[in-house]
Amino acid sequence: MIKIVKFGGSSLASAEQFKKVGAIIRADQDRKYVVPSAPGKRNSTDTKVTDMLYATYAYAEQGNDFSKALKAIEARYNEIIEGLGLDLSLEEEFKTITENFKKKAGSDYAASRGEYLNGIIMANYLGYEFIDAATVIFFDENGNFMADKTDQVLSERLAGVERAVVPGFYGAKEDGTVKTFSRGGSDITGSIVAKAVKADVYENWTDVSGFLIADPRIIHNPKGIDTITYRELRELSYMGATVLHEDAIFPVRKEGIPINIKNTNAPKDEGTWIVESTCQKPKYVITGIAGKKGFCAINIEKDMMNSEIGFGRKVLHVFEENDISFEHVPSGIDTMTVFVHQDEFEKKEQKVLAGIHKLAKPDSVDLESDLALIAVVGRGMKATRGTAGRIFSALAHANVNVKMIDQGSSELNIIIGVTNQEFEAAIKAIYDIFVVAQL
Ligand code: ASP
């Protein structure tokens, strides 16, 4: 059995946290390949090392003396090294980093040093081999991740190594220039390593015991999600549920490798399993609720719209021309509504309105702003009758006015539009009817 273990920044923020991580890895012989993030925040007012590196590099790039700022970063690592009692010095590494900052090696290079150095410490602490991600993870000259080449090189490299540390977040272009994934990208590295060694499990260790059914800032102490499918997760993360980087599911999904989200501070908790598919019935009809505020609805009316072929295309063409992506387009016989992100739309609204009038010749167009969208997601909805009915009666009881309803034919989710103001009340009402009422 092979397990990949990825640890997030808060799991590696101090020597104390490193010790917990060490104990977790040593507790299971199958935990053979480790992907660390850079040290994160030690407390709520602390700064992540990655952010310190970006700031220091920006300062260096403007020609300032950055030695003090870099010393502060070095101190973060030395604190960990000393706390673990390791016989290791990063002095030479920091000399190289100073040189490369002076040579303007780029902000990706700068940020990547966070995981690179943490990887060196981790390998030393565990007695595992250190493999620089720049030698095994590749990007093309445009900065796109090269999945096939990476998989080939990485699987060959790891075939001969029983236990190794591969730092997260970065790789290199073919000319050797370091390139990072987007923020939070160590999750992606973990997934790539899992694929390369055909792991049995990808364990992603963080500071929460998996996914919660709803946002804890809205629902007090919400229940956790035991098992979620990749598709459900995609719907929820799109709507703002964040724990795992969105792109981290693709490499393992192809191989059918499950991801287990675990808590470094509570390792006995089972956490959440993310799987391709499962016979396991979810505990509740819904798997999760997520939502976002800040949408705008463009309501378009025209008599006999339904029989006018090409009307929808003309309307959507205007959005495309203005480089605005739409979220949902519910329609009626003589009406069509387009939901867009308000911040993206606001600057261009008059241009869009003029465009719709010109191209589609509607009877009227009106706008409604400050709307929120809520996704109620669950594979269990398919087999259960009356889910929509329960949602709407709960919302009616809570005095929430529903502005829009959209259910995909997959029956995996129901999207509901409400005003920004009623967003929290709506989520609470839905959580109560499906979870609290079920307890
Ligand atoms: N350290 C990087 C960041 O802060 C990547 C990661 O932690 O996954 O975004």
Side-chain angles (χ1 to χ4, degrees):
M1 183 106 146
I2 300 177
K3 291 182 181 168
I4 304 304
V5 282
K6 180 262 168 180
F7 291 90
S10 59
S11 302
L12 300 169
S14 64
E16 247 36 71
Q17 290 298 88
F18 254 81
K19 285 180 189 165
K20 290 185 196 167
V21 167
I24 289 166
I25 296 171
R26 292 188 188 109
D28 186 343
Q29 283 296 307
D30 298 333
R31 295 185 173 130
K32 291 182 179 148
Y33 301 101
V34 183
V35 176
S37 281
K41 293 183 179 190
R42 289 162 295 186
N43 51 59
S44 57
T45 55
D46 205 9
T47 311
K48 289 171 101 178
V49 164
T50 309
D51 292 319
M52 294 169 88
L53 283 161
Y54 277 123
T56 305
Y57 184 74
Y59 192 63
E61 213 181 14
Q62 290 157 9
N64 298 305
D65 174 9
F66 59 93
S67 52
K68 218 172 127 200
L70 199 59
K71 274 269 168 272
I73 297 171
E74 196 171 350
R76 289 281 318 254
Y77 287 104
N78 285 340
E79 187 188 295
I80 296 172
I81 292 173
E82 277 157 33
L84 296 175
L86 300 179
D87 180 21
L88 174 71
S89 165
L90 295 178
E91 219 180 300
E92 286 305 314
E93 295 291 349
F94 272 94
K95 273 189 197 151
T96 312
I97 293 171
T98 305
E99 287 311 307
N100 287 333
F101 272 34
K102 284 184 186 155
K103 283 190 218 147
K104 304 215 160 106
S107 62
D108 276 23
Y109 166 79
S112 75
R113 297 305 88 184
E115 341 312 270
Y116 171 80
L117 296 168
N118 230 17
I120 292 178
I121 297 179
M122 177 67 89
N124 187 289
Y125 179 51
L126 295 171
Y128 282 21
E129 185 172 332
F130 173 75
I131 296 177
D132 185 355
T135 63
V136 284
I137 291 185
F138 301 100
F139 294 86
D140 66 19
E141 68 256 35
N142 300 319
N144 299 313
F145 170 58
M146 294 170 78
D148 291 341
K149 181 173 177 194
T150 297
D151 195 50
Q152 197 196 336
V153 174
L154 187 58
S155 54
E156 271 169 29
R157 179 74 175 83
L158 292 177
V161 189
E162 223 212 315
R163 295 173 186 277
V165 174
V166 184
F169 191 38
Y170 72 95
K173 292 187 188 172
E174 283 176 293
D175 67 0
T177 330
V178 168
K179 165 95 187 94
T180 65
F181 291 108
S182 57
R183 295 299 305 264
S186 298
D187 285 340
I188 308 175
T189 309
S191 186
I192 292 167
V193 175
K195 177 179 185 324
V197 299
K198 306 220 174 339
D200 298 278
V201 182
Y202 168 23
E203 289 181 348
N204 188 296
W205 292 81
T206 167
D207 54 4
V208 289
S209 293
F211 287 92
L212 299 170
I213 293 183
D215 187 337
R217 287 166 299 187
I218 301 173
I219 304 293
H220 176 66
N221 217 354
K223 294 270 165 213
I225 301 175
D226 301 337
T227 312
I228 185 168
T229 63
Y230 292 129
R231 288 172 63 217
E232 289 174 314
L233 177 63
R234 182 119 177 82
E235 302 282 351
L236 289 174
S237 10
Y238 185 72
M239 277 306 219
T242 52
V243 169
L244 190 72
H245 193 294
E246 256 195 287
D247 295 341
I249 57 174
F250 297 111
V252 285
R253 184 176 183 169
K254 273 198 192 142
E255 300 295 321
I257 302 168
I259 307 175
N260 188 192
I261 306 284
K262 300 272 289 175
N263 188 349
T264 301
N265 304 319
K268 293 222 164 74
D269 289 358
E270 186 56 31
T272 299
W273 283 89
I274 307 167
V275 299
E276 166 88 63
S277 83
T278 172
C279 297
Q280 259 186 58
K281 285 238 170 61
K283 243 196 244 147
Y284 311 100
V285 173
I286 58 162
T287 303
I289 315 163
K292 276 190 205 163
K293 288 182 180 177
F295 290 92
C296 187
I298 298 104
N299 297 312
I300 303 150
E301 276 194 43
K302 185 173 189 182
D303 277 346
M304 309 290 286
M305 176 194 293
N306 226 25
S307 55
E308 184 183 326
I309 292 170
F311 184 85
R313 179 184 49 76
K314 287 177 200 154
V315 169
L316 294 181
H317 181 76
V318 178
F319 287 89
E320 186 179 344
E321 259 190 337
N322 284 282
D323 211 19
I324 298 171
S325 64
F326 65 87
E327 290 293 310
H328 293 279
V329 190
S331 63
I333 308 176
D334 297 328
T335 62
M336 174 174 172
T337 305
V338 184
F339 277 79
V340 291
H341 285 274
Q342 199 159 325
D343 52 356
E344 220 181 300
F345 177 70
E346 253 166 13
K347 294 162 248 148
K348 301 174 181 167
E349 64 168 29
Q350 294 310 318
K351 255 181 95 188
V352 174
L353 291 193
I356 294 175
H357 277 288
K358 199 167 143 215
L359 220 66
K361 306 198 170 29
D363 295 336
S364 70
V365 181
D366 78 285
L367 302 179
E368 190 167 357
S369 58
D370 301 320
L371 298 176
L373 292 176
I374 297 169
V376 185
V377 177
R379 60 188 184 278
M381 294 193 320
K382 204 166 187 153
T384 321
R385 254 162 280 166
T387 310
R390 286 170 76 192
I391 295 176
F392 298 116
S393 75
L395 291 174
H397 271 108
N399 267 323
V400 172
N401 182 23
V402 177
K403 297 264 174 195
M404 190 272 289
I405 308 162
D406 201 353
Q407 178 180 16
S409 53
S410 64
E411 288 183 64
L412 190 67
N413 62 353
I414 296 177
I415 310 279
I416 299 148
V418 300
T419 61
N420 277 351
Q421 243 178 359
E422 291 181 323
F423 177 69
E424 284 83 7
I427 291 197
K428 217 178 153 315
I430 299 168
Y431 183 83
D432 283 352
I433 193 79
F434 288 104
V435 184
V436 179
Q438 216 73 50
L439 297 175

